[in-house]
Amino acid sequence: MQVRRHPGEVVEMTGPSAGRTSFRLRVSQKCLSLAPEHAYAHGAISAPLRCPPVCPADRIVLNATSGVTDRPWRVNWTDVNSIEGCDRHFDLLNEAASFRGVADRDLLRFERMIDDAPMWGANVAKERHLDQLDRLPLAKPSFLRRFGGVPLGDHSWPEAMPKDALRSSLQHNPTYLPSTPEQERMTIRQAMRHHIVRFLQRWTELSPER
């Protein structure tokens, strides 16, 4: 079934989600993409790695992307289970980010420091200057206050960070249901937590090219 919203916002395909029987790739991507975003906000990822080229690509983010690009997305993010499907969503995110990094745009947009509007005719040098000196220094600690569990500069953030990542993905994991035995739920949480932390460790060990 198609659900049509305002022109240029989103054309969403629904229906297959009801039959999900596995933990889809895009849901896993949302979980993992939050790890470098937290690390970036805490300053653990900086030059030369700079802004991570990923951010969550859920309904809220994709709708905001359509507001900038005037291009709709057509596949519900929880139904995406292929690299090609992920890439199609990220093409839209990269287009919307324009001269900003994807993670920077997500932080600034979520903290309402920039609008979901095209940047046609914008003074790119001025916008970058405002981002680096004014907006991002405010957006990062604000983001962490909302979701990080610990304030900027707290060295315990690697232990607190998976809570946000897990909370954002477990609700979409069909193997993690209220009816699932608690022992199995605990096993799933522990496995995902290990996966998130190991992913972030590998990320920070990569060269900027990789």
Side-chain angles (χ1 to χ4, degrees):
M1 180 178 69
Q2 289 188 353
V3 178
R4 295 188 178 273
R5 300 193 176 188
H6 301 295
E9 182 183 356
V10 62
V11 181
E12 174 192 345
M13 300 297 291
T14 61
S17 295
R20 289 200 306 270
T21 58
S22 62
F23 190 38
R24 297 298 177 97
L25 181 62
R26 169 55 80 219
V27 181
S28 176
Q29 179 276 327
K30 180 180 181 182
C31 177
L32 293 180
S33 67
L34 282 167
E37 192 153 13
H38 275 272
Y40 178 55
H42 275 287
I45 295 179
S46 57
L49 295 177
R50 298 188 295 278
C51 174
V54 294
C55 76
D58 57 18
R59 182 191 306 269
I60 295 174
V61 173
L62 291 170
N63 281 348
T65 297
S66 292
V68 175
T69 63
D70 200 32
R71 292 174 56 193
W73 54 276
R74 291 183 170 84
V75 180
N76 191 2
W77 70 278
T78 54
D79 292 325
V80 173
N81 203 32
S82 69
I83 295 297
E84 293 76 16
C86 290
D87 286 344
R88 282 193 289 272
H89 280 175
F90 268 101
D91 285 344
L92 292 176
L93 266 63
N94 281 313
E95 180 180 343
S98 184
F99 58 86
R100 291 186 172 97
V102 172
D104 277 349
R105 179 180 179 273
D106 187 55
L107 284 170
L108 295 174
R109 184 203 62 78
F110 201 86
E111 296 302 325
R112 299 183 179 180
M113 295 182 180
I114 59 174
D115 297 324
D116 293 328
M119 295 296 293
W120 301 324
N123 185 326
V124 173
K126 180 180 178 181
E127 289 295 316
R128 283 177 170 163
H129 180 78
L130 290 172
D131 286 353
Q132 295 302 317
L133 292 186
D134 295 327
R135 295 170 180 154
L136 286 170
L138 294 175
K140 291 178 180 180
S142 179
F143 165 79
L144 294 174
R145 282 194 297 271
R146 291 173 186 259
F147 304 108
V150 295
L152 183 65
D154 191 311
H155 295 297
S156 67
W157 72 265
E159 289 75 37
M161 171 267 297
K163 294 181 181 179
D164 183 32
L166 290 176
R167 182 171 58 247
S168 297
S169 58
L170 285 177
Q171 60 184 317
H172 302 288
N173 185 343
T175 66
Y176 190 90
L177 302 172
S179 59
T180 304
E182 180 55 32
Q183 184 61 39
E184 293 182 23
R185 288 162 63 93
M186 183 174 66
T187 299
I188 292 170
R189 290 195 303 269
Q190 290 174 340
M192 290 180 64
R193 183 182 296 273
H194 176 79
H195 188 43
I196 294 167
V197 172
R198 182 60 188 137
F199 171 79
L200 182 57
Q201 290 173 336
R202 292 181 61 192
W203 182 290
T204 55
E205 291 168 359
L206 292 175
S207 66
E209 293 76 16
R210 295 186 63 192

